[in-house]
Amino acid sequence: MSELDCAGNGLRNVCPTDLMAISRERLFEKDELSHPPRVLLLYGSLRERSYSRFLVLEAERLLNAFGAETRVFDPSGLPLPDDAGTDHPKVAELRDLCAWSEAQVWCSPERHGAMTGVMKSQIDWIPLSTGAIRPTQGKTLALLQVSGGSQSFNAVNQMRVLGRWMRMVTIPNQSSVPKAYQEFDEDGRMHPSPLYDRVVDVIEELMKFTLLVRGRSDYLVDRYSERKAAREKRSAAEKAAVGIAR
């Protein structure tokens, strides 16, 4: 990648060594990944008849039809954040699945006007970074919620903030299913309706964004500030090494 003409553009506070021109080759290079998109699905209820789980399973069926490989994480047995070590089997399972995934679906019931503690605990166990690896950065994310009453978007709006905080590419579309107890049959399958159609829209959009982003996510989230900090750190280490050698 070539450096930008910072002086000619009046960019007095930018280091030209670290400010690179946008590479169209990197943005539009052919996707060489041939495996099915890998999608992790999380839901936010431990109830036996959990509508958030039912909705996640509907999403999984759609994802499989679109050609994705899927994993659904069962949050039962996951300890509260900081109440166990990262070697806890459920914590390790969740983190491994997160690292495996290229995209995620989060679905929470709305409880007291917010996502559930079960949902938030899962997200809180996923670290922003593990050494040099950022488990969620650059991965795509779709958001769903179910409600016992009238339609609301409190849970999906909260999760959208969290997705951005986790540096995920959160797709614009989302789905909220009100009075969820009316929308699923005894077998946990969703009735045909405009609400179901919206879920199809969300999953279709997630697949499109995932195929666009994967294979390019490292470039898409490559940041000037981080390149600058890494270069300065290397420079300081080299100077220190020279001083020691002397």
mmCIF file with all atom_site columns, all heavy atoms in Angstrom, residues 22-43:
data_model
loop_
_atom_site.group_PDB
_atom_site.id
_atom_site.type_symbol
_atom_site.label_atom_id
_atom_site.label_alt_id
_atom_site.label_comp_id
_atom_site.label_asym_id
_atom_site.label_entity_id
_atom_site.label_seq_id
_atom_site.pdbx_PDB_ins_code
_atom_site.Cartn_x
_atom_site.Cartn_y
_atom_site.Cartn_z
_atom_site.occupancy
_atom_site.B_iso_or_equiv
_atom_site.pdbx_formal_charge
_atom_site.auth_seq_id
_atom_site.auth_comp_id
_atom_site.auth_asym_id
_atom_site.auth_atom_id
_atom_site.pdbx_PDB_model_num
ATOM 1   N N   . ILE A 1 22 ? -6.138  3.856   0.530  1.00 0.00 ? 22 ILE A N   1
ATOM 2   C CA  . ILE A 1 22 ? -7.056  2.723   0.509  1.00 0.00 ? 22 ILE A CA  1
ATOM 3   C C   . ILE A 1 22 ? -6.726  1.816   -0.677 1.00 0.00 ? 22 ILE A C   1
ATOM 4   O O   . ILE A 1 22 ? -6.602  2.276   -1.817 1.00 0.00 ? 22 ILE A O   1
ATOM 5   C CB  . ILE A 1 22 ? -8.518  3.201   0.407  1.00 0.00 ? 22 ILE A CB  1
ATOM 6   C CG1 . ILE A 1 22 ? -8.862  4.153   1.562  1.00 0.00 ? 22 ILE A CG1 1
ATOM 7   C CG2 . ILE A 1 22 ? -9.470  2.007   0.386  1.00 0.00 ? 22 ILE A CG2 1
ATOM 8   C CD1 . ILE A 1 22 ? -8.723  3.544   2.932  1.00 0.00 ? 22 ILE A CD1 1
ATOM 9   N N   . SER A 1 23 ? -6.572  0.554   -0.383 1.00 0.00 ? 23 SER A N   1
ATOM 10  C CA  . SER A 1 23 ? -6.216  -0.414  -1.423 1.00 0.00 ? 23 SER A CA  1
ATOM 11  C C   . SER A 1 23 ? -7.472  -1.050  -2.005 1.00 0.00 ? 23 SER A C   1
ATOM 12  O O   . SER A 1 23 ? -8.140  -1.864  -1.345 1.00 0.00 ? 23 SER A O   1
ATOM 13  C CB  . SER A 1 23 ? -5.309  -1.505  -0.843 1.00 0.00 ? 23 SER A CB  1
ATOM 14  O OG  . SER A 1 23 ? -5.142  -2.555  -1.762 1.00 0.00 ? 23 SER A OG  1
ATOM 15  N N   . ARG A 1 24 ? -7.806  -0.693  -3.227 1.00 0.00 ? 24 ARG A N   1
ATOM 16  C CA  . ARG A 1 24 ? -8.955  -1.312  -3.889 1.00 0.00 ? 24 ARG A CA  1
ATOM 17  C C   . ARG A 1 24 ? -8.680  -2.795  -4.144 1.00 0.00 ? 24 ARG A C   1
ATOM 18  O O   . ARG A 1 24 ? -9.600  -3.618  -4.147 1.00 0.00 ? 24 ARG A O   1
ATOM 19  C CB  . ARG A 1 24 ? -9.268  -0.588  -5.200 1.00 0.00 ? 24 ARG A CB  1
ATOM 20  C CG  . ARG A 1 24 ? -9.717  0.857   -5.008 1.00 0.00 ? 24 ARG A CG  1
ATOM 21  C CD  . ARG A 1 24 ? -10.001 1.530   -6.342 1.00 0.00 ? 24 ARG A CD  1
ATOM 22  N NE  . ARG A 1 24 ? -11.143 0.930   -7.011 1.00 0.00 ? 24 ARG A NE  1
ATOM 23  C CZ  . ARG A 1 24 ? -12.418 1.269   -6.794 1.00 0.00 ? 24 ARG A CZ  1
ATOM 24  N NH1 . ARG A 1 24 ? -12.691 2.212   -5.900 1.00 0.00 ? 24 ARG A NH1 1
ATOM 25  N NH2 . ARG A 1 24 ? -13.393 0.695   -7.464 1.00 0.00 ? 24 ARG A NH2 1
ATOM 26  N N   . GLU A 1 25 ? -7.399  -3.132  -4.340 1.00 0.00 ? 25 GLU A N   1
ATOM 27  C CA  . GLU A 1 25 ? -7.059  -4.540  -4.555 1.00 0.00 ? 25 GLU A CA  1
ATOM 28  C C   . GLU A 1 25 ? -7.400  -5.370  -3.326 1.00 0.00 ? 25 GLU A C   1
ATOM 29  O O   . GLU A 1 25 ? -7.939  -6.474  -3.429 1.00 0.00 ? 25 GLU A O   1
ATOM 30  C CB  . GLU A 1 25 ? -5.566  -4.673  -4.884 1.00 0.00 ? 25 GLU A CB  1
ATOM 31  C CG  . GLU A 1 25 ? -5.167  -4.135  -6.248 1.00 0.00 ? 25 GLU A CG  1
ATOM 32  C CD  . GLU A 1 25 ? -5.114  -2.617  -6.290 1.00 0.00 ? 25 GLU A CD  1
ATOM 33  O OE1 . GLU A 1 25 ? -5.043  -1.990  -5.199 1.00 0.00 ? 25 GLU A OE1 1
ATOM 34  O OE2 . GLU A 1 25 ? -5.148  -2.043  -7.390 1.00 0.00 ? 25 GLU A OE2 1
ATOM 35  N N   . ARG A 1 26 ? -7.072  -4.834  -2.137 1.00 0.00 ? 26 ARG A N   1
ATOM 36  C CA  . ARG A 1 26 ? -7.381  -5.551  -0.912 1.00 0.00 ? 26 ARG A CA  1
ATOM 37  C C   . ARG A 1 26 ? -8.887  -5.609  -0.666 1.00 0.00 ? 26 ARG A C   1
ATOM 38  O O   . ARG A 1 26 ? -9.422  -6.617  -0.198 1.00 0.00 ? 26 ARG A O   1
ATOM 39  C CB  . ARG A 1 26 ? -6.693  -4.893  0.289  1.00 0.00 ? 26 ARG A CB  1
ATOM 40  C CG  . ARG A 1 26 ? -5.189  -5.013  0.312  1.00 0.00 ? 26 ARG A CG  1
ATOM 41  C CD  . ARG A 1 26 ? -4.722  -6.438  0.581  1.00 0.00 ? 26 ARG A CD  1
ATOM 42  N NE  . ARG A 1 26 ? -5.292  -7.022  1.777  1.00 0.00 ? 26 ARG A NE  1
ATOM 43  C CZ  . ARG A 1 26 ? -4.818  -6.831  3.005  1.00 0.00 ? 26 ARG A CZ  1
ATOM 44  N NH1 . ARG A 1 26 ? -3.752  -6.051  3.195  1.00 0.00 ? 26 ARG A NH1 1
ATOM 45  N NH2 . ARG A 1 26 ? -5.377  -7.414  4.037  1.00 0.00 ? 26 ARG A NH2 1
ATOM 46  N N   . LEU A 1 27 ? -9.592  -4.527  -0.987 1.00 0.00 ? 27 LEU A N   1
ATOM 47  C CA  . LEU A 1 27 ? -11.029 -4.481  -0.749 1.00 0.00 ? 27 LEU A CA  1
ATOM 48  C C   . LEU A 1 27 ? -11.793 -5.439  -1.661 1.00 0.00 ? 27 LEU A C   1
ATOM 49  O O   . LEU A 1 27 ? -12.788 -6.047  -1.250 1.00 0.00 ? 27 LEU A O   1
ATOM 50  C CB  . LEU A 1 27 ? -11.561 -3.062  -0.949 1.00 0.00 ? 27 LEU A CB  1
ATOM 51  C CG  . LEU A 1 27 ? -11.318 -2.063  0.179  1.00 0.00 ? 27 LEU A CG  1
ATOM 52  C CD1 . LEU A 1 27 ? -11.793 -0.680  -0.243 1.00 0.00 ? 27 LEU A CD1 1
ATOM 53  C CD2 . LEU A 1 27 ? -12.025 -2.488  1.457  1.00 0.00 ? 27 LEU A CD2 1
ATOM 54  N N   . PHE A 1 28 ? -11.341 -5.556  -2.889 1.00 0.00 ? 28 PHE A N   1
ATOM 55  C CA  . PHE A 1 28 ? -12.109 -6.311  -3.880 1.00 0.00 ? 28 PHE A CA  1
ATOM 56  C C   . PHE A 1 28 ? -11.400 -7.574  -4.354 1.00 0.00 ? 28 PHE A C   1
ATOM 57  O O   . PHE A 1 28 ? -11.773 -8.152  -5.361 1.00 0.00 ? 28 PHE A O   1
ATOM 58  C CB  . PHE A 1 28 ? -12.430 -5.410  -5.082 1.00 0.00 ? 28 PHE A CB  1
ATOM 59  C CG  . PHE A 1 28 ? -13.230 -4.194  -4.716 1.00 0.00 ? 28 PHE A CG  1
ATOM 60  C CD1 . PHE A 1 28 ? -12.677 -2.924  -4.820 1.00 0.00 ? 28 PHE A CD1 1
ATOM 61  C CD2 . PHE A 1 28 ? -14.521 -4.313  -4.230 1.00 0.00 ? 28 PHE A CD2 1
ATOM 62  C CE1 . PHE A 1 28 ? -13.408 -1.803  -4.468 1.00 0.00 ? 28 PHE A CE1 1
ATOM 63  C CE2 . PHE A 1 28 ? -15.254 -3.195  -3.876 1.00 0.00 ? 28 PHE A CE2 1
ATOM 64  C CZ  . PHE A 1 28 ? -14.698 -1.934  -3.995 1.00 0.00 ? 28 PHE A CZ  1
ATOM 65  N N   . GLU A 1 29 ? -10.386 -7.990  -3.601 1.00 0.00 ? 29 GLU A N   1
ATOM 66  C CA  . GLU A 1 29 ? -9.709  -9.216  -3.993 1.00 0.00 ? 29 GLU A CA  1
ATOM 67  C C   . GLU A 1 29 ? -10.665 -10.398 -3.892 1.00 0.00 ? 29 GLU A C   1
ATOM 68  O O   . GLU A 1 29 ? -11.592 -10.414 -3.079 1.00 0.00 ? 29 GLU A O   1
ATOM 69  C CB  . GLU A 1 29 ? -8.470  -9.447  -3.134 1.00 0.00 ? 29 GLU A CB  1
ATOM 70  C CG  . GLU A 1 29 ? -8.752  -9.684  -1.669 1.00 0.00 ? 29 GLU A CG  1
ATOM 71  C CD  . GLU A 1 29 ? -7.465  -9.765  -0.847 1.00 0.00 ? 29 GLU A CD  1
ATOM 72  O OE1 . GLU A 1 29 ? -6.383  -9.702  -1.449 1.00 0.00 ? 29 GLU A OE1 1
ATOM 73  O OE2 . GLU A 1 29 ? -7.564  -9.880  0.392  1.00 0.00 ? 29 GLU A OE2 1
ATOM 74  N N   . LYS A 1 30 ? -10.436 -11.407 -4.718 1.00 0.00 ? 30 LYS A N   1
ATOM 75  C CA  . LYS A 1 30 ? -11.311 -12.563 -4.767 1.00 0.00 ? 30 LYS A CA  1
ATOM 76  C C   . LYS A 1 30 ? -11.296 -13.310 -3.438 1.00 0.00 ? 30 LYS A C   1
ATOM 77  O O   . LYS A 1 30 ? -10.246 -13.484 -2.827 1.00 0.00 ? 30 LYS A O   1
ATOM 78  C CB  . LYS A 1 30 ? -10.858 -13.495 -5.893 1.00 0.00 ? 30 LYS A CB  1
ATOM 79  C CG  . LYS A 1 30 ? -11.765 -14.697 -6.103 1.00 0.00 ? 30 LYS A CG  1
ATOM 80  C CD  . LYS A 1 30 ? -11.276 -15.558 -7.242 1.00 0.00 ? 30 LYS A CD  1
ATOM 81  C CE  . LYS A 1 30 ? -12.157 -16.786 -7.423 1.00 0.00 ? 30 LYS A CE  1
ATOM 82  N NZ  . LYS A 1 30 ? -11.674 -17.663 -8.516 1.00 0.00 ? 30 LYS A NZ  1
ATOM 83  N N   . ASP A 1 31 ? -12.473 -13.714 -3.006 1.00 0.00 ? 31 ASP A N   1
ATOM 84  C CA  . ASP A 1 31 ? -12.586 -14.506 -1.785 1.00 0.00 ? 31 ASP A CA  1
ATOM 85  C C   . ASP A 1 31 ? -12.091 -15.917 -2.066 1.00 0.00 ? 31 ASP A C   1
ATOM 86  O O   . ASP A 1 31 ? -12.710 -16.673 -2.818 1.00 0.00 ? 31 ASP A O   1
ATOM 87  C CB  . ASP A 1 31 ? -14.047 -14.533 -1.314 1.00 0.00 ? 31 ASP A CB  1
ATOM 88  C CG  . ASP A 1 31 ? -14.233 -15.320 -0.019 1.00 0.00 ? 31 ASP A CG  1
ATOM 89  O OD1 . ASP A 1 31 ? -13.218 -15.742 0.566  1.00 0.00 ? 31 ASP A OD1 1
ATOM 90  O OD2 . ASP A 1 31 ? -15.389 -15.510 0.393  1.00 0.00 ? 31 ASP A OD2 1
ATOM 91  N N   . GLU A 1 32 ? -10.957 -16.263 -1.475 1.00 0.00 ? 32 GLU A N   1
ATOM 92  C CA  . GLU A 1 32 ? -10.364 -17.575 -1.711 1.00 0.00 ? 32 GLU A CA  1
ATOM 93  C C   . GLU A 1 32 ? -10.868 -18.630 -0.727 1.00 0.00 ? 32 GLU A C   1
ATOM 94  O O   . GLU A 1 32 ? -10.467 -19.784 -0.800 1.00 0.00 ? 32 GLU A O   1
ATOM 95  C CB  . GLU A 1 32 ? -8.831  -17.474 -1.612 1.00 0.00 ? 32 GLU A CB  1
ATOM 96  C CG  . GLU A 1 32 ? -8.198  -16.525 -2.627 1.00 0.00 ? 32 GLU A CG  1
ATOM 97  C CD  . GLU A 1 32 ? -8.366  -16.997 -4.065 1.00 0.00 ? 32 GLU A CD  1
ATOM 98  O OE1 . GLU A 1 32 ? -8.631  -18.193 -4.263 1.00 0.00 ? 32 GLU A OE1 1
ATOM 99  O OE2 . GLU A 1 32 ? -8.234  -16.163 -4.981 1.00 0.00 ? 32 GLU A OE2 1
ATOM 100 N N   . LEU A 1 33 ? -11.741 -18.221 0.201  1.00 0.00 ? 33 LEU A N   1
ATOM 101 C CA  . LEU A 1 33 ? -12.248 -19.164 1.197  1.00 0.00 ? 33 LEU A CA  1
ATOM 102 C C   . LEU A 1 33 ? -13.381 -19.985 0.589  1.00 0.00 ? 33 LEU A C   1
ATOM 103 O O   . LEU A 1 33 ? -14.367 -19.433 0.107  1.00 0.00 ? 33 LEU A O   1
ATOM 104 C CB  . LEU A 1 33 ? -12.738 -18.414 2.433  1.00 0.00 ? 33 LEU A CB  1
ATOM 105 C CG  . LEU A 1 33 ? -11.678 -17.554 3.141  1.00 0.00 ? 33 LEU A CG  1
ATOM 106 C CD1 . LEU A 1 33 ? -12.309 -16.780 4.289  1.00 0.00 ? 33 LEU A CD1 1
ATOM 107 C CD2 . LEU A 1 33 ? -10.536 -18.416 3.651  1.00 0.00 ? 33 LEU A CD2 1
ATOM 108 N N   . SER A 1 34 ? -13.235 -21.278 0.616  1.00 0.00 ? 34 SER A N   1
ATOM 109 C CA  . SER A 1 34 ? -14.228 -22.150 -0.020 1.00 0.00 ? 34 SER A CA  1
ATOM 110 C C   . SER A 1 34 ? -15.137 -22.856 0.983  1.00 0.00 ? 34 SER A C   1
ATOM 111 O O   . SER A 1 34 ? -16.146 -23.445 0.594  1.00 0.00 ? 34 SER A O   1
ATOM 112 C CB  . SER A 1 34 ? -13.530 -23.201 -0.893 1.00 0.00 ? 34 SER A CB  1
ATOM 113 O OG  . SER A 1 34 ? -12.633 -23.985 -0.109 1.00 0.00 ? 34 SER A OG  1
ATOM 114 N N   . HIS A 1 35 ? -14.778 -22.810 2.281  1.00 0.00 ? 35 HIS A N   1
ATOM 115 C CA  . HIS A 1 35 ? -15.598 -23.516 3.265  1.00 0.00 ? 35 HIS A CA  1
ATOM 116 C C   . HIS A 1 35 ? -16.901 -22.752 3.527  1.00 0.00 ? 35 HIS A C   1
ATOM 117 O O   . HIS A 1 35 ? -16.971 -21.536 3.311  1.00 0.00 ? 35 HIS A O   1
ATOM 118 C CB  . HIS A 1 35 ? -14.820 -23.695 4.574  1.00 0.00 ? 35 HIS A CB  1
ATOM 119 C CG  . HIS A 1 35 ? -14.473 -22.401 5.244  1.00 0.00 ? 35 HIS A CG  1
ATOM 120 N ND1 . HIS A 1 35 ? -13.278 -21.744 5.043  1.00 0.00 ? 35 HIS A ND1 1
ATOM 121 C CD2 . HIS A 1 35 ? -15.173 -21.618 6.121  1.00 0.00 ? 35 HIS A CD2 1
ATOM 122 C CE1 . HIS A 1 35 ? -13.247 -20.635 5.760  1.00 0.00 ? 35 HIS A CE1 1
ATOM 123 N NE2 . HIS A 1 35 ? -14.388 -20.545 6.419  1.00 0.00 ? 35 HIS A NE2 1
ATOM 124 N N   . PRO A 1 36 ? -17.932 -23.430 4.004  1.00 0.00 ? 36 PRO A N   1
ATOM 125 C CA  . PRO A 1 36 ? -19.187 -22.742 4.331  1.00 0.00 ? 36 PRO A CA  1
ATOM 126 C C   . PRO A 1 36 ? -18.957 -21.695 5.421  1.00 0.00 ? 36 PRO A C   1
ATOM 127 O O   . PRO A 1 36 ? -18.139 -21.908 6.328  1.00 0.00 ? 36 PRO A O   1
ATOM 128 C CB  . PRO A 1 36 ? -20.087 -23.873 4.843  1.00 0.00 ? 36 PRO A CB  1
ATOM 129 C CG  . PRO A 1 36 ? -19.494 -25.122 4.293  1.00 0.00 ? 36 PRO A CG  1
ATOM 130 C CD  . PRO A 1 36 ? -18.021 -24.891 4.232  1.00 0.00 ? 36 PRO A CD  1
ATOM 131 N N   . PRO A 1 37 ? -19.649 -20.566 5.362  1.00 0.00 ? 37 PRO A N   1
ATOM 132 C CA  . PRO A 1 37 ? -19.542 -19.577 6.438  1.00 0.00 ? 37 PRO A CA  1
ATOM 133 C C   . PRO A 1 37 ? -19.878 -20.216 7.783  1.00 0.00 ? 37 PRO A C   1
ATOM 134 O O   . PRO A 1 37 ? -20.836 -20.976 7.905  1.00 0.00 ? 37 PRO A O   1
ATOM 135 C CB  . PRO A 1 37 ? -20.578 -18.519 6.056  1.00 0.00 ? 37 PRO A CB  1
ATOM 136 C CG  . PRO A 1 37 ? -20.702 -18.629 4.574  1.00 0.00 ? 37 PRO A CG  1
ATOM 137 C CD  . PRO A 1 37 ? -20.527 -20.089 4.275  1.00 0.00 ? 37 PRO A CD  1
ATOM 138 N N   . ARG A 1 38 ? -19.074 -19.911 8.791  1.00 0.00 ? 38 ARG A N   1
ATOM 139 C CA  . ARG A 1 38 ? -19.234 -20.509 10.117 1.00 0.00 ? 38 ARG A CA  1
ATOM 140 C C   . ARG A 1 38 ? -19.965 -19.529 11.028 1.00 0.00 ? 38 ARG A C   1
ATOM 141 O O   . ARG A 1 38 ? -19.470 -18.429 11.294 1.00 0.00 ? 38 ARG A O   1
ATOM 142 C CB  . ARG A 1 38 ? -17.870 -20.879 10.693 1.00 0.00 ? 38 ARG A CB  1
ATOM 143 C CG  . ARG A 1 38 ? -17.110 -21.888 9.838  1.00 0.00 ? 38 ARG A CG  1
ATOM 144 C CD  . ARG A 1 38 ? -15.886 -22.407 10.549 1.00 0.00 ? 38 ARG A CD  1
ATOM 145 N NE  . ARG A 1 38 ? -14.890 -21.360 10.756 1.00 0.00 ? 38 ARG A NE  1
ATOM 146 C CZ  . ARG A 1 38 ? -13.789 -21.229 10.036 1.00 0.00 ? 38 ARG A CZ  1
ATOM 147 N NH1 . ARG A 1 38 ? -13.541 -22.062 9.040  1.00 0.00 ? 38 ARG A NH1 1
ATOM 148 N NH2 . ARG A 1 38 ? -12.922 -20.269 10.302 1.00 0.00 ? 38 ARG A NH2 1
ATOM 149 N N   . VAL A 1 39 ? -21.123 -19.939 11.531 1.00 0.00 ? 39 VAL A N   1
ATOM 150 C CA  . VAL A 1 39 ? -21.988 -19.034 12.299 1.00 0.00 ? 39 VAL A CA  1
ATOM 151 C C   . VAL A 1 39 ? -22.273 -19.619 13.681 1.00 0.00 ? 39 VAL A C   1
ATOM 152 O O   . VAL A 1 39 ? -22.738 -20.756 13.808 1.00 0.00 ? 39 VAL A O   1
ATOM 153 C CB  . VAL A 1 39 ? -23.317 -18.759 11.564 1.00 0.00 ? 39 VAL A CB  1
ATOM 154 C CG1 . VAL A 1 39 ? -24.122 -17.693 12.307 1.00 0.00 ? 39 VAL A CG1 1
ATOM 155 C CG2 . VAL A 1 39 ? -23.072 -18.335 10.119 1.00 0.00 ? 39 VAL A CG2 1
ATOM 156 N N   . LEU A 1 40 ? -22.022 -18.822 14.703 1.00 0.00 ? 40 LEU A N   1
ATOM 157 C CA  . LEU A 1 40 ? -22.343 -19.170 16.092 1.00 0.00 ? 40 LEU A CA  1
ATOM 158 C C   . LEU A 1 40 ? -23.626 -18.466 16.499 1.00 0.00 ? 40 LEU A C   1
ATOM 159 O O   . LEU A 1 40 ? -23.777 -17.263 16.256 1.00 0.00 ? 40 LEU A O   1
ATOM 160 C CB  . LEU A 1 40 ? -21.197 -18.743 17.018 1.00 0.00 ? 40 LEU A CB  1
ATOM 161 C CG  . LEU A 1 40 ? -21.460 -18.808 18.522 1.00 0.00 ? 40 LEU A CG  1
ATOM 162 C CD1 . LEU A 1 40 ? -21.721 -20.239 18.974 1.00 0.00 ? 40 LEU A CD1 1
ATOM 163 C CD2 . LEU A 1 40 ? -20.290 -18.201 19.296 1.00 0.00 ? 40 LEU A CD2 1
ATOM 164 N N   . LEU A 1 41 ? -24.536 -19.184 17.122 1.00 0.00 ? 41 LEU A N   1
ATOM 165 C CA  . LEU A 1 41 ? -25.812 -18.613 17.558 1.00 0.00 ? 41 LEU A CA  1
ATOM 166 C C   . LEU A 1 41 ? -25.922 -18.687 19.083 1.00 0.00 ? 41 LEU A C   1
ATOM 167 O O   . LEU A 1 41 ? -25.705 -19.752 19.673 1.00 0.00 ? 41 LEU A O   1
ATOM 168 C CB  . LEU A 1 41 ? -26.995 -19.347 16.914 1.00 0.00 ? 41 LEU A CB  1
ATOM 169 C CG  . LEU A 1 41 ? -27.044 -19.316 15.374 1.00 0.00 ? 41 LEU A CG  1
ATOM 170 C CD1 . LEU A 1 41 ? -26.431 -20.576 14.785 1.00 0.00 ? 41 LEU A CD1 1
ATOM 171 C CD2 . LEU A 1 41 ? -28.478 -19.145 14.871 1.00 0.00 ? 41 LEU A CD2 1
ATOM 172 N N   . LEU A 1 42 ? -26.268 -17.556 19.690 1.00 0.00 ? 42 LEU A N   1
ATOM 173 C CA  . LEU A 1 42 ? -26.433 -17.459 21.142 1.00 0.00 ? 42 LEU A CA  1
ATOM 174 C C   . LEU A 1 42 ? -27.872 -17.054 21.459 1.00 0.00 ? 42 LEU A C   1
ATOM 175 O O   . LEU A 1 42 ? -28.451 -16.210 20.772 1.00 0.00 ? 42 LEU A O   1
ATOM 176 C CB  . LEU A 1 42 ? -25.475 -16.410 21.723 1.00 0.00 ? 42 LEU A CB  1
ATOM 177 C CG  . LEU A 1 42 ? -23.989 -16.535 21.402 1.00 0.00 ? 42 LEU A CG  1
ATOM 178 C CD1 . LEU A 1 42 ? -23.215 -15.386 22.052 1.00 0.00 ? 42 LEU A CD1 1
ATOM 179 C CD2 . LEU A 1 42 ? -23.435 -17.872 21.856 1.00 0.00 ? 42 LEU A CD2 1
ATOM 180 N N   . TYR A 1 43 ? -28.418 -17.634 22.523 1.00 0.00 ? 43 TYR A N   1
ATOM 181 C CA  . TYR A 1 43 ? -29.757 -17.242 22.966 1.00 0.00 ? 43 TYR A CA  1
ATOM 182 C C   . TYR A 1 43 ? -29.728 -16.966 24.463 1.00 0.00 ? 43 TYR A C   1
ATOM 183 O O   . TYR A 1 43 ? -28.816 -17.409 25.173 1.00 0.00 ? 43 TYR A O   1
ATOM 184 C CB  . TYR A 1 43 ? -30.803 -18.301 22.605 1.00 0.00 ? 43 TYR A CB  1
ATOM 185 C CG  . TYR A 1 43 ? -30.576 -19.661 23.198 1.00 0.00 ? 43 TYR A CG  1
ATOM 186 C CD1 . TYR A 1 43 ? -31.147 -20.025 24.423 1.00 0.00 ? 43 TYR A CD1 1
ATOM 187 C CD2 . TYR A 1 43 ? -29.798 -20.608 22.538 1.00 0.00 ? 43 TYR A CD2 1
ATOM 188 C CE1 . TYR A 1 43 ? -30.947 -21.283 24.963 1.00 0.00 ? 43 TYR A CE1 1
ATOM 189 C CE2 . TYR A 1 43 ? -29.591 -21.872 23.077 1.00 0.00 ? 43 TYR A CE2 1
ATOM 190 C CZ  . TYR A 1 43 ? -30.166 -22.204 24.285 1.00 0.00 ? 43 TYR A CZ  1
ATOM 191 O OH  . TYR A 1 43 ? -29.963 -23.456 24.821 1.00 0.00 ? 43 TYR A OH  1
#
